[in-house]
Every structure is written in C-alpha cells, then in structure tokens.
Amino acid sequence: MKLKKFLDKYDTVIFDMDGVITSEQNYWNCAALTVWEYLSWNSGRKINSPKCMENLKDIRRKVFFDDKLISVLKGKGVNSNWDLGYITVCITWICCGKQNWEGFDGVLEYAKALPDNIIDAYDDIALECSNKTGFDYGWLKRNGLMWQTMMRIFQGWFLGDELFCKHYDYYPVNAGKSGLLFKEEPIVDKEKLTEMLRLLNETKRVCTGTGRPYIEMIQPLKNWDILKYFADDGLSNYDHVAAAEEKLNNNALTKPNPYMFLKALYGTDYDDKRLVSGDYDKSKIAGTLVVGDAGADILAAKAMGADFCAVLTGIQGEKGREYFEENGAEYILPSVIDFLEE
C-alpha cells in the first residue's frame, strides 16, 4: 500500500481523534450515564452504578432519543462530550423541571430550535435554566460548579474507580464503575489504520488535536501500538486548552478556536500567549492538513488557514457531506483509511 498523491502537499497532518481514529460510542455512553446519574442525584434518587451499566442501552436510548439528540447537538457545534451531557441536563431542566425529567418531554424539539452555533447560546440557556429552576445562574454557567461536577461524574464512568482515584485522589461518589476506557476499539480497521500512520510518519509530522484529556488520549494509542507514529510534541489535547485558558484568563480556546491545532503544529512547548496573539511562523500553515469529522473541526482549521480533510465516520455520517462542502473542505473521504491506495 502507499499514500494517495494529494498528501504529498503536506508535511504536517493533525488528526482529531473521536469520530476519526477513535470511536465516540463509549463517550456517548458515558454522557448518557452522566446525565442519568446527575439528574437522579439532583432529584434525590440514588443510583446503582453496576445496575446502570446493565441498563446502559435503555438509558442511552431515553436520554438521547435513539441518538437523535446527539446528532442535533453535534450538528450545532457541541464538540466536547462533557458539554453534550451538560447542555442536555440544562435543556431537560428547562423543558421538564427538576423532578419530572425521566420522560425528557420536549427536549429534542427544544434542541432543534437552538441556533446553529449553540456555543454562542450557552449563557442564554444557563440563564433560562436559572429562571425555570431557581438555581444560581453563575452555578449553571459552562465551566461553573455544575459543569465541573458533571465533568467529574463523566470521568468516573469513563476511567473507572481505580484510574479515577489515581488521577483525582478520591473515589467517585457512586462507586462501582469499571471504566469504559478499557473497552475502546478504533473506528476503522486497526491494521489499515496502523499502516496508514506508519506511512505518514515516514515523511510527515503526525499530530493530534483532540478534545480528550491526555489520560484518555494516550491509553488507546498505547493499547493499539500506534503512539510511536505521532510526534512527541504534537499530542495536543484538552489539558493544553485548560492550562492555557487558566493562564491567559481566556475561556474560549476550545474548538472552533484554532488554538488546539496551532498547539499541535508549532509544538506543545510553544508559548501559549504567542500562539493566541498570532506570533508564529504562518508560512508553516500552508503545509498543514487537519483531519476531522465535525463542524468545530473545520471551523477551527479554517480559522487558522489550514486545509481540511473531512471524514464521514462521525455522528452525521454521509449526511455531513453537504455541510463540509458548504464550509470549504478541500477533501471529503469516507474514512482515514482512504488515505491509502493499493
């Protein structure tokens, strides 16, 4: 096998992970379990973690309307699965109140009516949720205490009790979680993925630009023995975003902001203040290809001036083609495996 000719143009390739290399199925499972646990907890109901795992399919079906809600929210720019859970809870409280939430009545219809760039509407949603529930607006805002609590619940489901405790220094409130991280598989054929990355690594700098924290990004790359094909200083992930946002007092560095892809291109040791202010060698961008599956990915790539390759392995599948065409994707492929030719 060899790489397709169009890749000769590039010396750096930056991959989003979920929906591109890794599957988001376990993340969506985690988001569903997080929503269920958080809504239960706030309405005074206890949960049994192992029992929830047994009923996972039914919980996800109810929370996300057979995944229709995931498709709607992702299509409107929700890139982080922490945000997926957070915004679902806010909408559920708006539509159903704090106690009668289990039917999720009206949630999907409400989500469909939200602006196409939902990120700009987060504060408005939090304010409406505050008016409906009486909860403090500051507590409800993204990155506030509610969001932070939900993020930790999500991490408990994904990492499992032991790894969560190792990382955060305490056990989850509702323990008994084995960790969905250890059930991950690539979204494409593993052997072909490995060969594609090996060939890229021979002539190009291979990087990540993922919303996953480092601990969640590194585990599958190690498990599948493909970490060796990525540049050591090109593993841009959510931890870099969080550190930069705190350092620069800037809460807007997640995609569609180009920060994450710039951090991969110029190296994870490159100064954050210089990156955000545009102090870098812009000529390098011409030789950079960003690969992603979501609206936030192409918007971030275009914001930095890089070429974009859309892959149709995300939640939208083939339905996403029109969106990527309208937003100027240079390439649209069924999957990353289509970098290869016989």
Side-chain angles (χ1 to χ4, degrees):
M1 288 188 175
K2 60 182 180 179
L3 296 174
K4 286 187 175 172
K5 195 69 178 173
F6 79 87
L7 291 164
D8 291 349
K9 178 181 176 181
Y10 306 104
D11 50 43
T12 299
V13 181
I14 305 172
F15 291 96
D16 176 43
M17 285 188 63
D18 290 313
V20 178
I21 292 174
T22 49
S23 170
E24 283 194 274
Q25 292 297 327
N26 276 328
Y27 271 133
W28 295 333
N29 287 336
C30 276
L33 290 165
T34 299
V35 169
W36 193 263
E37 177 173 343
Y38 193 73
L39 287 172
S40 298
W41 179 61
N42 270 277
S43 57
R45 308 175 201 178
K46 294 183 178 179
I47 71 151
N48 179 294
S49 297
K51 191 73 174 176
C52 284
M53 281 299 299
E54 290 177 17
N55 297 322
L56 172 56
K57 287 184 180 180
D58 189 50
I59 288 172
R60 176 166 158 178
R61 180 185 59 77
K62 288 179 179 178
V63 170
F64 292 136
F65 296 84
D66 292 315
D67 293 349
K68 293 184 183 73
L69 184 61
I70 299 175
S71 183
V72 168
L73 293 177
K74 291 282 184 177
K76 292 178 179 289
V78 174
N79 188 56
S80 158
N81 288 296
W82 293 334
D83 282 358
L84 176 64
Y86 159 75
I87 211 68
T88 298
V89 167
C90 287
I91 294 171
T92 302
W93 276 339
I94 290 169
C95 295
C96 308
K98 294 183 287 185
Q99 294 295 328
N100 301 313
W101 52 267
E102 285 191 58
F104 297 95
D105 296 328
V107 171
L108 183 60
E109 290 71 24
Y110 183 100
K112 288 177 179 177
L114 288 168
D116 287 342
N117 186 358
I118 194 176
I119 295 170
D120 292 340
Y122 278 0
D123 285 353
D124 293 336
I125 294 168
L127 182 58
E128 185 176 358
C129 191
S130 176
N131 292 335
K132 291 276 188 177
T133 63
F135 289 138
D136 179 71
Y137 170 60
W139 179 81
L140 281 164
K141 286 184 69 174
R142 185 180 182 275
N143 287 331
L145 185 57
M146 171 201 172
W147 187 93
Q148 295 288 340
T149 302
M150 288 195 66
M151 183 270 284
R152 292 295 178 94
I153 293 172
F154 184 107
Q155 293 302 98
W157 285 111
F158 196 71
L159 299 177
D161 292 352
E162 297 304 320
L163 195 55
F164 181 93
C165 185
K166 184 177 180 181
H167 191 68
Y168 292 105
D169 249 5
Y170 68 92
Y171 275 94
V173 173
N174 292 300
K177 297 165 182 171
S178 57
L180 289 164
L181 172 65
F182 302 102
K183 302 179 186 297
E184 288 205 271
E185 291 293 335
I187 200 166
V188 293
D189 180 84
K190 190 182 298 184
E191 288 187 9
K192 290 182 178 179
L193 173 65
T194 301
E195 178 64 5
M196 183 272 291
L197 291 171
R198 185 189 70 79
L199 290 171
L200 279 179
N201 175 254
E202 287 182 350
T203 58
K204 308 176 195 307
R205 188 166 174 270
V206 184
C207 307
T208 64
T210 176
R212 290 186 174 218
Y214 180 81
I215 191 173
E216 297 170 28
M217 174 199 70
I218 207 70
Q219 196 69 46
L221 299 184
K222 285 181 176 178
N223 290 348
W224 306 336
D225 195 29
I226 58 175
L227 178 60
K228 58 192 175 187
Y229 301 123
F230 291 87
D232 289 342
D233 67 344
L235 298 171
S236 177
N237 59 79
Y238 179 78
D239 290 352
H240 295 112
V241 173
E245 287 185 339
E246 182 176 0
K247 179 181 176 182
L248 303 177
N249 193 27
N250 182 340
N251 287 327
L253 296 182
T254 55
K255 303 172 194 174
N257 188 292
Y259 167 82
M260 186 175 289
F261 293 146
L262 291 169
K263 192 73 168 175
L265 175 58
Y266 295 99
T268 49
D269 55 351
Y270 199 92
D271 183 73
D272 288 325
K273 187 175 182 180
R274 293 178 64 190
L275 271 186
V276 173
S277 65
D279 181 12
Y280 46 79
D281 177 10
K282 295 177 179 62
S283 66
K284 292 184 68 173
I285 295 173
T288 300
L289 180 67
V290 173
V291 186
D293 70 303
D297 297 324
I298 191 170
L299 293 176
K302 292 303 175 183
M304 71 183 279
D307 284 359
F308 186 78
C309 178
V311 291
L312 303 179
T313 39
I315 181 64
Q316 298 290 338
E318 183 63 34
K319 293 178 183 176
R321 181 180 294 275
E322 183 179 354
Y323 174 86
F324 291 123
E325 289 174 344
E326 291 174 351
N327 283 275
E330 279 70 26
Y331 317 98
I332 302 175
L333 300 175
S335 77
V336 291
I337 298 307
D338 292 278
F339 277 10
L340 295 171
E341 65 181 16
E342 298 291 341

